[in-house]
Amino acid sequence: MRQKDNWIFHILAFAVVLIWGTTFVSTKILINNGLTAIDIFIARFLLAYIVLCFIAPKQIFSASILDELLFLCMGITGGSLYFLTENIALSYSFASNVSLIVCTTPIFTSILIGCISKTELFSKKQMLGSLLAFIGMALVVLNGKFVLNLSPIGDILALAAAWSWAFYSFIMKRMANNYSSLFITRKVFFYGLISAIPVAAYFGLTYNTEILSKPIVFGNLLFLGLIASLLCYVLWNIIMKRIGIIKASNYIYINPVVAVICSAIILHENITFFAIGGMILILCGLFIAEKK
C-alpha cells in the first residue's frame, strides 16, 4: 500500500507541473492584454488567499515567533521574490536565458538540501537522472537556437528566482511536519502579498474595468489564481512532504516541455527536432531519478 501511495503522489507531481507549464502561455496572454507582472502576481495570490480564508484552518498565528518568521521567508521566497524576479528578468534578458536559468532550480535545491540536511541524500542514480533531465531541458528551452546572450541584470534576477524557490523548498521541509498544507499555503500567500506591497506601490497597478471585463483576461486570472496557485500550491506542499524535496523538484524539468507544446498550439510557435529530443531526455532522466 505504501508503494502504491507513493506512485499516486508522483502522478500528482507530474500533473501539478503540467499545469504550471501552461502558466507561461497564460501569463503571456495577460501581458499582451495590458497587465504587468506585478498586476498578475497580486491578482492570482489575492484571489487564492480569499478562497483559502474560507477553507483553511481558522488558526491565525503559528506556534512560535520563529515559525512565523519562517512563514514570512516562505511568502517571499516562494511568492513575491520568485515571481517578480522571474518576470522582471524577462524585461532585461532573453526568454531562453531566463527559462534555462530558472529551470536549474532542482539542481540548486539538491545542493542546498545536500549541504544543510543529512536526512535526504542525493544518490548517484538521482544525479544521473537529473543530469539527463537538465540536458533535455536545455535542448527544449533553446529549441534549436544555440545562441545565449549574456545580460547581467536579467540573468542575475533569473538566478535569484531559481535560488529563491530552492530556499522555499528547504524551509517547507521543516514546516510540513508541524502544519497542514492548507495552513502553510494560506500563510505563504498572505506574506507573499504583504511583501509585494512595496513593489506595487513603487511601480503602481494598471487594473481597469475595460481590461478586467475581457473574458480572456478574467478567465486566465481565474486559472492562475484558483488552479495554478491555490490548488497547485496545496498539492505541491503535500507532494514534497510525501516523496521528498529532491524527487519532487526534479519534476520541474517538465515545465519547459509543457510551455513549448502549449506555445506551439496556442501561440503558434515552432517546435524543432532538438526540442523533441530534449523532451525524450527529460522523460528518461525522470524515469531514472524517480525509479525505485
Side-chain angles (χ1 to χ4, degrees):
M1 187 63 182
R2 180 78 178 184
Q3 181 79 8
K4 183 178 179 181
D5 287 344
N6 283 339
W7 274 110
I8 290 174
F9 291 108
H10 281 278
I11 293 172
L12 283 175
F14 191 84
V16 168
V17 175
L18 284 181
I19 294 172
W20 278 344
T22 65
T23 60
F24 169 79
V25 175
S26 187
T27 300
K28 193 165 185 176
I29 290 173
L30 291 174
I31 290 175
N32 290 340
N33 278 273
L35 294 182
T36 65
I38 186 64
D39 291 334
I40 297 168
F41 171 76
I42 293 291
R44 66 185 289 182
F45 263 49
L46 182 60
L47 182 60
Y49 179 73
I50 291 173
V51 176
L52 275 170
C53 286
F54 291 97
I55 64 176
K58 301 306 178 184
Q59 177 185 354
I60 298 178
F61 298 105
S62 52
S64 66
I65 295 178
L66 175 60
D67 284 356
E68 201 67 29
L69 290 174
L70 288 174
F71 278 126
L72 171 61
C73 291
M74 290 181 71
I76 295 173
T77 56
S80 57
L81 180 62
Y82 173 76
F83 282 102
L84 294 178
T85 51
E86 180 184 53
N87 290 328
I88 295 175
L90 291 170
S91 302
Y92 293 95
S93 185
F94 292 89
S96 58
N97 291 45
V98 176
S99 300
L100 183 60
I101 295 172
V102 170
C103 283
T104 58
T105 298
I107 295 177
F108 295 140
T109 302
S110 300
I111 293 173
L112 187 62
I113 297 297
C115 291
I116 300 178
S117 174
K118 303 299 180 183
T119 59
E120 191 172 347
L121 301 178
F122 197 46
S123 67
K124 292 181 179 179
K125 184 176 63 175
Q126 287 177 316
M127 191 177 300
L128 174 61
S130 296
L131 178 61
L132 284 176
F134 176 75
I135 295 173
M137 178 271 300
L139 290 175
V140 171
V141 170
L142 296 175
N143 202 15
K145 300 175 183 177
F146 294 95
V147 180
L148 281 177
N149 297 277
L150 294 179
S151 173
I153 296 177
D155 294 343
I156 290 173
L157 285 171
L159 188 63
W163 272 106
S164 180
W165 189 263
F167 275 100
Y168 168 80
S169 300
F170 177 74
I171 301 172
M172 177 63 197
K173 184 178 178 66
R174 169 193 169 111
M175 308 307 284
N177 295 325
N178 302 316
Y179 301 94
S180 70
S181 293
L182 282 174
F183 181 78
I184 292 173
T185 308
R186 193 191 73 195
K187 299 294 276 187
V188 168
F189 287 170
F190 173 76
Y191 283 119
L193 287 167
I194 293 298
S195 58
I197 290 177
V199 181
Y202 180 79
F203 288 102
L205 299 175
T206 58
Y207 299 126
N208 63 63
T209 307
E210 182 181 354
I211 294 177
L212 295 178
S213 61
K214 294 180 181 178
I216 193 170
V217 172
F218 185 70
N220 277 282
L221 285 177
L222 283 178
F223 167 72
L224 291 175
L226 299 182
I227 306 299
S229 293
L230 173 59
L231 177 62
C232 288
Y233 263 75
V234 172
L235 288 176
W236 193 252
N237 291 339
I238 295 173
I239 290 164
M240 286 196 293
K241 182 178 180 179
R242 292 303 185 100
I243 68 175
I245 296 173
I246 293 177
K247 287 189 174 184
S249 297
N250 279 335
Y251 281 99
I252 294 176
Y253 287 126
I254 302 174
N255 248 325
V257 175
V258 183
V260 167
I261 293 174
C262 289
S263 296
I265 296 173
I266 300 175
L267 302 177
H268 307 293
E269 297 179 358
N270 294 325
I271 299 180
T272 68
F273 285 108
F274 291 101
I276 295 173
M279 295 178 194
I280 296 172
L281 277 179
I282 289 174
L283 294 177
C284 291
L286 284 174
F287 178 78
I288 293 172
E290 308 295 333
K291 186 173 179 292
K292 289 290 183 181

